[in-house]
Amino acid sequence: MPSSTVVLNNVRVFDGTRLTSPTSIAFARGAVVTGTPSGAETLDCGGATLLPGLFDTHVHLLAPDDLDALAAHGVTTALDMACWPHQRVDSFRGRVPDIRSAGVPAIGPGGNHARMPGMPSEAVLTDAGQAAPFVARRVAEGADYIKVVIEGDLLGQDVIDAVVREAAALGRPSVAHASSVDAYRRAVRAGADIITHVPRDGVPDEDTLAEMVRRRQVAVPTLAMMEASSVIFPAPEQAYAHSRDTVAALHAAGVPVLAGTDAFSGPGPIPDPVRQGSGLHRELELLVDAGLTEADALRSATVLAARHFGLPDRGVLMPGLRADAVLVDGDPLTDIRATRKVRRVWSAGVPVTLR
Ligand SMILES: [Zn+2]
């Protein structure tokens, strides 16, 4: 479907900080434009709220239905954090949402990740010398960033360091999986650009948080998954409280926090797993519950996600940037749950069919 030329009237726009008073905004040739483009159709939005298209900065893509569910919930950019083979990743590119992917993750031998069905053997690293060929292979396959899974001490610190270093050498951000205090400390020490999940066994100490700020590291907590998975741990409430308290501490320390869910539609151990699309709205609620303001939560899924994943063409509704947008009923700055009331979605100016 071609991108539409449209003027939205009587719409309140989230400008990255607050909602504007009712105004007009136009899309043409896939971008936000100033003035009224010729031949534009007009749409009266009745005072509804227009948000930049939402990001989910941690998903796992499996099938085309995943894309449809994300798009229907206003997610116009989805960042996959492990998907293979690379032909599957390629089949998801150029669609809605616009995706990026880590491809095959680097993991240690013998753990939960190594036992995941279909995990390719080339994912398993046992010494630092394997990092350079591993990262080069991912880059050749089109990986947008490099993922390393820190799970107990299955990977030596020298191996984690080497993966992060080799990623940087080839111009790729590194993303480290860390869901314990110890793993979090190792990820920070390695200098991973982005650290995903949060500990369920405690809250990182102040030195660790200060080092994250100093190194400009970024957090993708995936509270939706931490919440959904807590039921399979002993003392589930305690496990989730640690995750939530870590987000509060990260945010208070000044570490950028991005909205990501770890949504996955395949089989897994979690009885009620995080769903594609709806999970992002739960994540926004949980970020607010952890102490972010509603505006901070919206920034975590828009402008900050774009900034920290190197996508400067989106994340804010400004002239010249991509017309990725979600029209919702109500005011999510008063009640974050209003983001769930999706009326319309555009991806690069193309109206998305909601199903
Ligand atoms: Zn994940």
Side-chain angles (χ1 to χ4, degrees):
M1 192 187 284
S3 70
S4 59
T5 304
V6 62
V7 178
L8 312 188
N9 291 322
N10 193 16
V11 67
R12 304 175 72 199
V13 179
F14 178 63
D15 67 3
T17 308
R18 61 183 72 81
L19 294 188
T20 64
S21 50
T23 185
S24 297
I25 185 169
F27 302 156
R29 299 174 305 281
V32 178
V33 296
T34 49
T36 302
S38 63
E41 47 170 318
T42 58
L43 181 67
D44 184 340
C45 298
T49 298
L50 193 69
L51 304 172
L54 301 172
F55 280 67
D56 188 331
T57 67
H58 189 146
V59 299
H60 295 278
L61 298 172
L62 195 60
D65 284 356
D66 294 342
L67 300 183
D68 293 341
L70 286 160
H73 287 87
V75 175
T76 54
T77 305
L79 306 180
D80 173 84
M81 288 298 160
C83 179
W84 60 84
H86 62 92
Q87 292 88 347
R88 173 179 282 166
V89 176
D90 291 342
S91 76
F92 297 140
R93 294 191 190 269
R95 303 173 63 165
V96 184
D98 193 23
I99 69 130
R100 300 291 184 275
S101 178
V104 176
I107 66 173
N112 287 334
H113 284 79
R115 284 190 288 271
M116 280 179 184
M119 179 65 75
S121 57
E122 64 176 326
V124 179
L125 304 189
T126 52
D127 80 64
Q130 295 168 310
F134 172 87
V135 171
R137 182 82 191 271
R138 301 288 78 75
V139 171
E141 288 175 350
D144 300 285
Y145 31 79
I146 304 299
K147 171 99 174 275
V148 57
V149 175
I150 307 175
E151 196 185 0
D153 55 3
L154 300 179
L155 284 177
Q157 186 70 38
D158 61 328
V159 182
I160 303 165
D161 293 352
V163 172
V164 169
R165 194 171 57 238
E166 296 298 336
L170 294 186
R172 295 298 186 284
S174 49
V175 181
H177 160 121
S179 58
S180 69
V181 169
D182 177 63
Y184 220 82
R185 198 180 298 120
R186 287 160 170 267
V188 172
R189 197 199 303 174
D193 296 295
I194 290 149
I195 304 178
T196 189
H197 310 308
V198 270
R200 54 174 113 249
D201 60 348
V203 176
D205 60 30
E206 275 180 29
D207 288 350
T208 303
L209 298 175
E211 191 171 355
M212 283 186 82
V213 173
R214 193 170 56 74
R215 289 177 175 248
R216 299 173 183 269
Q217 290 166 304
V218 173
V220 177
T222 70
L223 282 178
M225 189 281 287
M226 304 312 298
E227 177 191 51
S229 64
S230 64
V231 297
I232 60 178
F233 288 86
E237 275 152 36
Q238 196 187 3
Y240 182 71
H242 288 141
S243 299
R244 186 194 56 217
D245 293 350
T246 296
V247 172
L250 288 163
H251 185 59
V255 175
V257 170
L258 308 184
T261 62
D262 208 9
F264 176 57
S265 58
I270 305 175
D272 187 13
V274 181
R275 310 286 173 188
Q276 304 283 358
S278 62
L280 193 268
H281 299 276
R282 181 64 181 158
E283 184 72 22
L284 294 175
E285 279 182 63
L286 293 173
L287 290 173
V288 170
D289 177 62
L292 276 69
T293 64
E294 285 80 359
D296 285 333
L298 292 177
R299 287 165 58 80
S300 80
T302 56
V303 61
L304 294 180
R307 180 183 303 165
H308 293 293
F309 274 94
L311 297 167
D313 62 343
R314 67 194 74 182
V316 191
L317 290 165
M318 271 180 27
L321 298 191
R322 266 174 78 105
D324 287 354
V326 193
L327 187 67
V328 302
D329 279 325
D331 177 359
L333 290 179
T334 306
D335 180 353
I336 194 67
R337 290 171 298 182
T339 60
R340 292 174 180 270
K341 298 172 192 152
V342 173
R343 273 168 57 174
R344 288 175 188 254
V345 179
W346 291 265
S347 169
V350 179
V352 173
T353 306
L354 305 183
R355 49 182 116 181

